[in-house]
Amino acid sequence: MSYGKMNTMIDLITNQPVKDPEGFVSTGESIIASVRAYKEDRHGNESWKNRAVFTSASALFRFRRIHGITVKTNMVIVCDTGRYNIVSVEDVKNRGMYIEVLCERMDTNG
């Protein structure tokens, strides 16, 4: 993956317990990492046809592996086009260099 194709800035976010100044614990969002990623929206080509198992996935993100951080399906990706729930996480070609994440867009209507 060339650096020029990774032109979308994303934030990996997780829900973690957050303690306020009075000592009360509540659930809040915490940004784990901000990285550059390649983003591909769902369309009707051969590669998306092969991903038919993940029918709810509407976007693919590919980015460099972040040392010390394990990307999980309970995390959320936020970029300039919206928020995405992670459906699947895969190591590209099992080399430990790139992570491929299939996501579904979160509906932000109130």
Side-chain angles (χ1 to χ4, degrees):
M1 180 66 44
S2 69
Y3 190 70
K5 287 189 175 185
M6 294 200 280
N7 55 8
T8 303
M9 286 299 296
I10 65 169
D11 292 328
L12 280 172
I13 296 177
T14 187
N15 289 329
Q16 292 183 341
V18 177
K19 190 180 287 190
D20 63 5
E22 288 83 30
F24 294 103
V25 177
S26 63
T27 302
E29 291 186 338
S30 176
I31 296 176
I32 301 297
S34 296
V35 295
R36 294 173 62 100
Y38 166 75
K39 180 180 182 264
E40 179 181 311
D41 288 318
R42 184 179 191 140
H43 47 77
N45 68 0
E46 190 69 24
S47 64
W48 277 97
K49 190 169 98 174
N50 293 336
R51 296 182 185 111
V53 175
F54 303 105
T55 56
S56 63
S58 60
L60 174 140
F61 292 93
R62 194 175 294 139
F63 51 90
R64 287 191 180 270
R65 185 175 154 261
I66 306 162
H67 293 285
I69 296 175
T70 303
V71 180
K72 300 177 186 172
T73 56
N74 63 350
M75 293 181 177
V76 175
I77 290 180
V78 177
C79 66
D80 58 348
T81 59
R83 296 174 66 91
Y84 295 86
N85 282 328
I86 296 177
V87 176
S88 167
V89 179
E90 183 180 346
D91 184 4
V92 176
K93 297 184 181 179
N94 292 322
R95 292 185 178 171
M97 293 176 62
Y98 293 97
I99 302 292
E100 185 175 87
V101 178
L102 290 172
C103 300
E104 70 177 327
R105 187 178 169 101
M106 294 174 67
D107 191 20
T108 57
N109 294 339

